[in-house]
Amino acid sequence: MAVNTTTYLEINEQLKAQQVTLVAVSKTKPVSDIQELYDLGQRDFGENYVQELAEKQLLMPNDIRWHFIGHLQSNKVKYIAPFVHLIHGVDSYKLLLEIDKQAKKADRIINCLLQVHVAQEETKFGFNEIELMAAMEDIHKYKLLNQLQNVQVAGLMGMASLTADEEQVTKEFAFLKMMFDHFANQPGNDQFRVLSMGMSGDYQLAIAEGSNLVRIGSLLFGSRQ
């Protein structure tokens, strides 16, 4: 299936009116599909695999904002540090330190989102509530010590349970929004503005609960091979 341009234009118009950023999830899709959405004005694209992202970045226009939305291994940060716009799934303090190290080498500040585990599935990555509180305290402490100067924690990301139970999904999104508000409203957290939650199957529920960035793939590009 080729790019569904009609659906893209409808979703894009809807999200712009709601001031929600659309990240088109282009993993496993050819650059020709990305180019098609680019030509319609799309600039935010999401990839899950480091090698695939690095290869596509070389082939595509420089004004694309590349989002890394997969599970990122510390030893692969260096391959995307020179250009990545936003890393969505920071799920450990060790990974944050490595991003800071590689961002410093690339003479950049890299925006990151801390991934929070809100779903019922054990397979999902992310901080739980207690771990998130501790991580945010540590980040604040190290910033005061002039460390972690090359990463900017810009918000939170989370994935709801893969279930048809909309009440369960809504509850998980509402919990993540509560956590987001807790940190966003603290003094000195002016850059804490991004709440990334919602995908093709549940993005409307996520927006209703306060998401301002959604990651949509299959509705735009069709099912992955």
Side-chain angles (χ1 to χ4, degrees), residues 151-188:
V151 289
Q152 179 63 58
V153 177
L156 302 179
M157 181 272 256
M159 290 180 279
S161 297
L162 191 61
T163 173
D165 184 349
E166 291 191 358
E167 192 176 326
Q168 175 67 28
V169 171
T170 296
K171 188 168 76 173
E172 291 167 359
F173 284 148
F175 175 75
L176 188 54
K177 177 63 162 68
M178 181 189 73
M179 295 293 292
F180 173 79
D181 287 342
H182 172 77
F183 295 114
N185 293 327
Q186 289 181 357

Side-chain angles (χ1 to χ4, degrees), residues 42-60:
Q42 180 65 22
R43 291 296 180 270
D44 292 276
F45 290 90
E47 292 284 337
N48 278 53
Y49 308 109
V50 168
Q51 185 177 345
E52 184 181 352
L53 171 54
E55 289 170 357
K56 287 176 175 176
Q57 188 266 338
L58 291 173
L59 298 170
M60 298 302 297

Side-chain angles (χ1 to χ4, degrees), residues 30-182:
V31 291
S32 56
D33 284 3
I34 299 173
Q35 186 68 51
E36 200 171 333
L37 283 192
Y38 178 90
D39 292 342
L40 291 172
Q42 180 65 22
R43 291 296 180 270
D44 292 276
F45 290 90
E47 292 284 337
N48 278 53
Y49 308 109
V50 168
Q51 185 177 345
E52 184 181 352
L53 171 54
E55 289 170 357
K56 287 176 175 176
Q57 188 266 338
L58 291 173
L59 298 170
M60 298 302 297
N62 286 332
D63 62 336
I64 285 180
R65 294 181 290 270
W66 293 105
H67 297 246
F68 190 81
I69 60 173
H71 180 60
L72 182 58
Q73 295 171 295
S74 294
N75 63 347
K76 294 189 175 176
V77 174
K78 59 189 174 188
Y79 299 112
I80 63 173
F83 65 85
V84 70
H85 173 69
L86 181 63
I87 296 175
H88 285 233
V90 177
D91 58 3
S92 73
Y93 200 70
K94 176 191 167 196
L95 178 58
L96 195 67
L97 289 172
E98 182 62 22
I99 294 168
D100 181 63
K101 175 182 164 185
Q102 297 300 333
K104 193 170 187 177
K105 286 183 183 176
D107 195 26
R108 299 184 65 218
I109 294 173
I110 296 179
N111 286 309
C112 300
L113 305 179
L114 300 184
Q115 183 170 353
V116 187
H117 186 283
V118 294
Q120 291 185 324
E121 295 105 313
E122 287 300 317
T123 51
K124 296 280 196 301
F125 296 100
F127 295 97
N128 63 32
E129 183 179 1
I130 293 169
E131 291 167 343
L132 180 65
M133 292 285 187
M136 287 297 291
E137 280 185 19
D138 284 343
I139 290 162
H140 180 65
K141 181 173 68 182
Y142 282 111
K143 289 274 188 185
L144 291 176
L145 294 171
N146 286 323
Q147 297 172 15
L148 288 178
Q149 294 302 298
N150 289 81
V151 289
Q152 179 63 58
V153 177
L156 302 179
M157 181 272 256
M159 290 180 279
S161 297
L162 191 61
T163 173
D165 184 349
E166 291 191 358
E167 192 176 326
Q168 175 67 28
V169 171
T170 296
K171 188 168 76 173
E172 291 167 359
F173 284 148
F175 175 75
L176 188 54
K177 177 63 162 68
M178 181 189 73
M179 295 293 292
F180 173 79
D181 287 342
H182 172 77

